[in-house]
Amino acid sequence: MRTLVLSLAFSLAALAQPLDVLIVDGVNNHDWQAATRGIRAILDATGRFRVDVSTSPARDAAPEAWAAWRPDFARYRAVVVNFNGGHLDSGLRWPPEVEAAFLRYLRGGGGVVIFHAANNAFLRWAEYNDIAGLLWRDKSFGPGLVFDDAGKAVTVPAGEGLNPGHGPRHDFQMRVRDKRHPITRGLPELWMHPSEQLTHGQHGPARDLTL
C-alpha cells in the first residue's frame, strides 16, 4: 500500500499549489500510528501537500468523546483513510454524522485514498463498499475480479473463488496496465515490489473500477 501513496504523491507533484490532505486514523488492527507517520513523511517530502491528521477516539472511548469527534472533510482536497474498526458485523462504525459528512464531501468532488486495512472496514456501510469496490470480504459477500492469461479482467461470481487472505511477505512483480493514468504515469510497465503481503480473494460490489 506504500506504493499507492507514493504513486499519488508523484502523480500530483506537478501541481503548483499544495494540496490539503487529511489522514483519518485512530483505530486499526495494524499499527496505525506508524502508518500515519509513514504516509505523512512521504507526502511531506514532495513539498506538494499540507497534511493534517484527525485521530478518532479509542474504540472503547466514552460516547461524549465520539460525539465531539467531527473531522472537517470539506477543508481538504483528499482524505486518506487509515482506519479499520473491523471487518465483521461487530466492527466499529463512525458516528452517523461523520459518515454523512464524508459522503457529502465525496459527492461534492472530494478525493479519497483507502489505505491498507481500511479496505477491511465498515462491513454494512453500503456506500463505503461501493467506494472501495473490492474489500476484505467473504466470497459470499459479492463478486471478485481476477486477470486471465491474456491480461483480461474476469469477474468471479459471488460465492466462488478465494476468501480474503495473504501469504508471507515476499517480493513480487507488478505490471502497470495503463501507463497514462495519473497514478501510474512514469512507472515502468514491469517492476519488482519488495517485501509486501500480496493479498488475494477481495470481494465487493466490484463495479465502476479502473484497474
Side-chain angles (χ1 to χ4, degrees), residues 12-93:
L12 296 174
L15 295 177
Q17 295 297 321
L19 296 181
D20 292 310
V21 174
L22 178 67
I23 302 172
V24 178
D25 61 16
V27 176
N28 209 303
N29 61 315
H30 294 296
D31 185 347
W32 55 266
Q33 295 97 330
T36 290
R37 289 194 298 270
I39 295 167
R40 184 166 203 162
I42 290 168
L43 296 179
D44 284 345
T46 70
R48 299 296 184 179
F49 301 90
R50 288 185 294 259
V51 182
D52 292 332
V53 179
S54 179
T55 298
S56 78
R59 182 185 295 274
D60 56 355
E64 296 78 15
W66 282 101
W69 182 62
R70 295 292 184 267
D72 188 4
F73 300 115
R75 291 178 50 200
Y76 299 93
R77 290 285 302 277
V79 172
V80 179
V81 181
N82 180 29
F83 182 103
N84 175 27
H87 68 284
L88 303 176
D89 282 313
S90 58
L92 179 67
R93 292 277 297 265

Side-chain angles (χ1 to χ4, degrees), residues 13-203:
L15 295 177
Q17 295 297 321
L19 296 181
D20 292 310
V21 174
L22 178 67
I23 302 172
V24 178
D25 61 16
V27 176
N28 209 303
N29 61 315
H30 294 296
D31 185 347
W32 55 266
Q33 295 97 330
T36 290
R37 289 194 298 270
I39 295 167
R40 184 166 203 162
I42 290 168
L43 296 179
D44 284 345
T46 70
R48 299 296 184 179
F49 301 90
R50 288 185 294 259
V51 182
D52 292 332
V53 179
S54 179
T55 298
S56 78
R59 182 185 295 274
D60 56 355
E64 296 78 15
W66 282 101
W69 182 62
R70 295 292 184 267
D72 188 4
F73 300 115
R75 291 178 50 200
Y76 299 93
R77 290 285 302 277
V79 172
V80 179
V81 181
N82 180 29
F83 182 103
N84 175 27
H87 68 284
L88 303 176
D89 282 313
S90 58
L92 179 67
R93 292 277 297 265
W94 289 345
E97 297 84 356
V98 175
E99 292 186 357
F102 183 64
L103 294 179
R104 285 196 302 271
Y105 162 76
L106 293 178
R107 289 166 178 157
V112 61
V113 174
I114 296 174
F115 179 80
H116 201 61
N119 90 318
N120 299 19
F122 308 129
L123 176 64
R124 300 304 176 193
W125 186 2
E127 292 90 346
Y128 190 84
N129 285 297
D130 284 332
I131 291 163
L134 289 169
L135 310 95
W136 189 280
R137 304 289 189 247
D138 185 89
K139 63 184 179 183
S140 64
F141 181 85
L145 287 173
V146 298
F147 290 98
D148 63 18
D149 291 339
K152 179 182 178 182
V154 177
T155 298
V156 179
E160 299 182 16
L162 298 171
N163 279 319
H166 58 73
R169 298 176 70 95
H170 65 287
D171 299 348
F172 52 85
Q173 187 181 72
M174 299 288 293
R175 179 180 294 275
V176 175
R177 297 182 52 78
D178 182 358
K179 292 191 290 185
R180 298 169 299 175
H181 193 281
I183 289 178
T184 53
R185 187 181 302 139
L187 295 176
E189 181 178 358
L190 295 174
W191 52 283
M192 292 301 297
H193 191 304
S195 186
E196 180 61 281
Q197 295 171 342
L198 183 58
T199 302
H200 58 256
Q202 305 292 282
H203 300 271

